[in-house]
Structure formats: structure tokens, C-alpha cells
Amino acid sequence: MQISPRTFDAEMRYLKRRDEQSWSIAKGFVPGMRVPGVFFVNSALESLVFDELRHHSDSSGYGGFLPAIKQLANVATLPGIVGESVGLPDIHSGYGFAIGNVAAFDCGDSEAVVSPGGVGFDINCGVRLLRTNLTEGDVSENKESLAQSLFDHIPVGVGSRGVIPTSSAHLDAALNMGMDWSIREGYSWAEDKDHCEEAGRMLQADPTKVSRRAKKRGLPQMGTLGAGNHYVEIQVVDEVYDMHAANRMGLGMVGQVAIMIHSGSRGLGHQVATDALLAMERAMERDVGLVTNDRQLACARINSDEGKDYLGAMAAAANYAWVNRSSMTFLARQAFAKQFGSTPDDLDMQVVYDVSHNIAKTEEHFVDGKLRTLLVHRKGATRAFPPNHPLVPVDYQFTGQPVLVGGTMGTCSYILTGTERGMARTFGSTCHGAGRASSRNKTRRTLAYEDVLADLDKKGISIRIASPKLVMEEAPEAYKDVNSVVETCDCAGISNKALKLRPIAVIKG
């Protein structure tokens, strides 16, 4: 259904500032809203959101992606949604759902839906952080060779092929077992899964629901970084805000070296999403009661065949992503051990945590004072459970779940912790990164890759990149200020700042 354009001033009547960090979207902003919306932005970020809305509202029509606020409102029309359609401060336009959108659907409602647009094409794109017992002084003299060693060990780029031997049978096992497969095959330490969301395995995974084409795309890509905004960074602890939490993570020393890995399910996950969208579009033609404001919000009832097939395939793709990050962890450990003539164990290369920020998961949350089982879609959003939650690892029971927030290329990253306020306001969710401020096409037109690389060099950041001319797309100028994003979450109380990490070397596709 096409939404008739309205003027910006008319639309602003439905938007109201709640407090210094959030705005509400009243029902009526788009037709058919079942629940209100909310988005978190401080004064430094709100102009980006409203400029996007103004541009679309005052134009003659909507081409391409809708502005993020409209996408939040359209999600609020989907059957079975509860609470609010939530936008986090790194929000920007995406496919169907905005990136930075959280929405929960009541599994007890037979009308409730699952939507691949609420997960994204890179299923279980996420971040993993490894600590070391090295300091910046230990790596400063050989930073270039260390960056080169990581670049040599971890395949990067669009067409990269993995170095982890994988047969079709092994791929099916990996899709089913997740990190348990990595442990069995010797690519992961047994304790790695203790610091991983879902312990690195979604038990509802069904490899039989993953198409042959998806498996063909995934087979050669095990243990590969990919391109776009994916990266491996060597980072150092720059500031500590919560020493207790930092010590529990083993990162309590300023100048301590860590490795951050950001990647997902690669071509396999993309194909799973594409297959599901096509199947759900066909199903919606039969289900005359299921109508959406945006065809990109193709969906199916959670308990329908199409819904169950997607959830089984999505869980398998999520397992693949955890295996992928585990494989790159293995390669990063080998690179560091070789560079320092030591062993990964002696370098204390433990997994601090591994989080997903593109996934849908069945969880229990209180809604209107009642505990309900919900299917929580987090697209460009990170789970952030509070202290004492049963799904938080034992090591972090008194601090809350670590939240890994990756910065843009050459800017800082953060570790946050989950809060009770976040459970109440955002279904235990917070930001995942900086969030784009301008399109890839625009940054390619306005930036020169030589200038971007020179700027990184001035900051003392070593870089290894497979496609230098694509570096403009990931320049800091293309993104929101991650400091403002994190500050918004911290001030809103939906997560707490624990540490800031500064990059000293970047490996990208």
C-alpha cells in the first residue's frame, strides 16, 4: 500500500519529545499503527533524523528507502506487535525495518508475524572482542608487521575464499551446531562459547530449510571477513568508566591491546533472507488479511509454514556466523602467536564477548505488567540484558551483559553493559554502532580515498585494505558520531558506558 505524502509540518504533529534523549511517534503518523513508536536521539543527533524526514515529506513521492521514522511507524502496523516500535540513536533507513529498529511480537498471538526485514540480509552480523595481555608499547614497534600478519591470515574482500577446510557435510554440521562444531573441529576453545550470546548456537536451527544456493554461497566463505563495514581492528583500552565491569572483562588497564572482529553470515545469510522474502511475498498473496504499508515488510505468521521455515533457516545462518567469527578468531590467534613467538594461551587471547546485532530471538519480557513470550527482532541493535538475568554469563552476572559497539573506521569503539531500564524501555536492547549519516554513493562522490587513507596515517593507524577505492564508503564522515550515539544510550539509561577502545590498526575488505 502506497502512503500518500504529507507535509513535514503535518507529520511533526505526531512527534513529541519525551525527554532529552527520546521522541515518541503517536498512532496516526501512518495508517494502521497498532502501537506507538519511540526513537532515542539527543540534540546532537536529531537533526539527521528530521532532515531525512523533511526531505521525503516535502518531495513528490518516496523513492528507494523510506526515512527511518516512517519505517518505525510502518513496523508499528504489523500484526502481533507489542509495546512500541523502538528506534535507537544509530537509526537510519534500511530494507523494510530501519537499521537500529527493535520490535517484539507476541508468540501467543496467532496473528503475530516474523519479518526478514526485521533481521536484515546479513543474518547475525555481530561483533566479537578478544583481549590480550599485551600493551600498546608491546606492539608499537611492530604494528605494521602485525597488521600485515592479520591481513595475510584472514581472507578479506568481496570474493574472498576461506582457508578453513569445509565439506558439504561439515557445512551442514556447522549450520546445526554453531560454535560446538568449531570446538569439535579444534577451531575454538571450549571456554569461548561461555562468553558468546546463545553460547554460539541457536538450537532451533534447521539446515534442511537452507536452500542449496545459500549453502553453495556459504561453502567457500567460512572464516572470511567480507567487505563493506566489516573489519578486524587492533585496539587499545583508551578510557575506563566502570572499573568493576572492566576488570570482570579482563580489560581494566589503559593501553591494553584487544582485537575486535565484525562480520556475519556472508553470502549464505543474504541468500537465506532473499529466499524467505520471496516465499513470504507469495504467502501474503494467499493471506488476504495480511497487508503491510510497505512491500519491503514482507512477513508471515510466526506459526505458518513460511514463518517456521524462515526461523529455522535464520537460526542456521546465525550458527554459520558464529562459526565464521570463531574461525577468524582462530586465525587471529595464530597471527598474534606467530608475530610474538608465543602461544595464544600465553597471550591470554580470551573471548571477552560475542554479540549479534541482526537477529530475531524468542525471549521473555514483561509487557503491561505481564510476562510474555515474544519474538524480538533486532536489526542493527544489540541485546543488552541487565545484571542477574539468567541468560547473562556467570562472569558478568553482577555487571550486566557486555555490549560491543563498533565505531567507524579510525574512530573509537565502546563496551557498554545492559541495564534494567533497558529491559523495560527497549526489550533489553541498545545501539550497535555509529549508524550511517550519508549513503555510500554520496561518500564515493564527495571523498577521495587517498585523503581518507592519509587521515588514518596521521592518526597513527595502520591499515590493510583489499579495495582502497571502496574505503570512502566507510570513512568517518559517512557515519554519525559514535560518541553521541553512546552518550544518548548512557543518558537514557538503556545501557551504561564501561570502556572506550581506540584503534591502532584496521584490516578491511
Side-chain angles (χ1 to χ4, degrees):
M1 181 172 69
Q2 184 69 44
I3 305 171
S4 300
R6 278 198 302 237
T7 66
F8 176 75
D9 289 339
E11 289 175 328
M12 284 298 295
R13 291 184 299 180
Y14 291 91
L15 305 180
K16 182 179 179 181
R17 178 176 280 286
R18 285 187 179 176
D19 52 42
E20 292 184 1
Q21 285 81 39
S22 65
W23 286 72
S24 62
I25 309 172
K27 293 182 182 180
F29 183 80
V30 300
M33 289 177 66
R34 300 167 189 262
V35 298
V38 61
F39 57 97
F40 293 84
V41 288
N42 63 11
S43 57
L45 296 170
E46 66 182 28
S47 63
L48 292 170
V49 177
F50 291 126
D51 285 350
E52 184 186 43
L53 181 64
R54 184 191 300 275
H55 171 76
H56 282 77
S57 298
D58 293 343
S59 63
S60 58
Y62 305 135
F65 293 120
L66 294 175
I69 293 178
K70 279 194 168 67
Q71 291 188 312
L72 285 178
N74 282 339
V75 168
T77 71
L78 294 177
I81 190 170
V82 297
E84 296 175 311
S85 178
V86 179
L88 296 164
D90 47 347
I91 189 170
H92 55 288
S93 298
Y95 186 94
F97 282 56
I99 298 168
N101 193 174
V102 178
F105 298 81
D106 189 348
C107 294
D109 183 347
S110 61
E111 300 298 302
V113 299
V114 58
S115 176
V119 172
F121 285 94
D122 192 0
I123 295 168
N124 191 7
C125 183
V127 183
R128 174 175 292 203
L129 187 71
L130 312 177
R131 69 174 186 240
T132 75
N133 54 21
L134 299 167
T135 66
E136 187 173 7
D138 295 327
V139 303
S140 58
E141 291 187 0
N142 55 8
K143 183 174 60 177
E144 291 292 338
S145 58
L146 184 57
Q148 186 62 48
S149 181
L150 278 173
F151 189 75
D152 291 340
H153 276 74
I154 298 175
V156 303
V158 176
S160 56
R161 298 177 66 88
V163 296
I164 304 295
T166 310
S167 65
S168 295
H170 274 174
L171 177 62
D172 277 342
L175 294 173
N176 181 49
M177 297 172 64
M179 280 182 64
D180 287 335
W181 179 86
S182 299
I183 293 169
R184 187 188 77 180
E185 298 299 317
Y187 298 120
S188 222
W189 296 350
E191 59 267 33
D192 288 350
K193 63 181 290 186
D194 296 336
H195 288 171
C196 184
E197 190 172 334
E198 296 293 316
R201 180 182 185 181
M202 294 189 76
L203 297 176
Q204 61 268 48
D206 186 349
T208 67
K209 303 304 180 183
V210 178
S211 69
R212 181 178 300 178
R213 185 175 183 184
K215 291 178 181 179
K216 183 178 180 180
R217 293 182 67 179
L219 191 61
Q221 293 183 333
M222 189 81 78
T224 63
L225 187 65
N229 64 348
H230 295 161
Y231 59 78
V232 176
E233 284 190 356
I234 304 173
Q235 303 174 338
V236 296
V237 177
D238 196 45
E239 293 185 46
V240 177
Y241 310 105
D242 183 338
M243 184 56 74
H244 176 60
N247 284 334
R248 293 304 301 165
M249 299 175 202
L251 290 170
M253 181 175 60
V254 172
Q256 187 173 347
V257 172
I259 304 105
M260 183 173 280
I261 300 171
H262 176 209
S263 190
S265 51
R266 307 284 281 111
L268 182 142
H270 195 285
Q271 192 62 50
V272 165
T274 301
D275 293 341
L277 285 166
L278 293 173
M280 290 183 184
E281 285 177 359
R282 292 192 295 267
M284 288 178 68
E285 293 176 358
R286 301 191 303 270
D287 190 342
V288 294
L290 187 51
V291 180
T292 64
N293 285 355
D294 180 1
R295 64 168 299 179
Q296 292 184 356
L297 289 175
C299 55
R301 313 291 182 185
I302 293 174
N303 293 318
S304 68
D305 288 342
E306 291 81 6
K308 289 185 286 189
D309 286 353
Y310 170 68
L311 288 171
M314 182 213 69
N319 287 346
Y320 179 95
W322 278 312
V323 170
N324 192 37
R325 290 197 288 276
S326 294
S327 300
M328 285 185 281
T329 298
F330 172 81
L331 297 170
R333 284 169 171 162
Q334 297 303 308
F336 265 71
K338 182 178 179 180
Q339 183 68 37
F340 290 98
S342 185
T343 67
D345 190 54
D346 286 341
L347 294 173
D348 193 32
M349 298 185 73
Q350 299 281 349
V351 172
V352 175
Y353 205 61
D354 181 302
V355 295
S356 168
H357 50 234
N358 273 13
I359 206 162
K361 292 164 65 176
T362 303
E363 300 170 357
E364 290 188 334
H365 291 270
F366 282 96
V367 179
D368 299 328
K370 295 181 180 179
L371 188 64
R372 298 194 195 181
T373 301
L374 308 177
L375 182 64
V376 182
H377 295 60
R378 293 188 180 93
K379 180 180 180 180
T382 310
R383 194 187 75 176
F385 281 176
N388 304 313
H389 193 285
L391 295 182
V392 173
V394 172
D395 288 347
Y396 305 131
Q397 275 290 303
F398 297 113
T399 63
Q401 176 208 308
V403 175
L404 309 178
V405 181
T408 60
M409 187 175 59
T411 67
C412 59
S413 298
Y414 284 87
I415 306 178
L416 315 179
T417 52
T419 66
E420 287 288 354
R421 187 168 176 81
M423 288 295 286
R425 297 192 72 183
T426 62
F427 300 103
S429 311
T430 194
C431 63
H432 85 301
R436 292 198 75 90
S438 60
S439 70
R440 287 181 166 85
N441 287 335
K442 182 178 179 180
T443 54
R444 280 198 299 266
R445 292 194 306 267
T446 57
L447 297 174
Y449 76 90
E450 297 93 343
D451 294 338
V452 177
L453 295 176
D455 183 60
L456 291 171
D457 185 60
K458 287 179 183 177
K459 295 177 181 177
I461 300 172
S462 300
I463 184 164
R464 296 294 185 277
I465 187 163
S467 304
K469 291 187 178 181
L470 296 182
V471 77
M472 304 92 74
E473 300 178 2
E474 302 305 318
E477 293 88 342
Y479 285 84
K480 299 177 183 179
D481 177 15
V482 69
N483 301 294
S484 293
V485 169
V486 168
E487 195 66 28
T488 301
C489 294
D490 185 75
C491 291
I494 60 176
S495 51
N496 292 332
K497 291 195 298 185
L499 298 107
K500 182 166 77 171
L501 303 164
R502 171 173 52 85
I504 60 173
V506 180
I507 289 84
K508 288 186 69 67

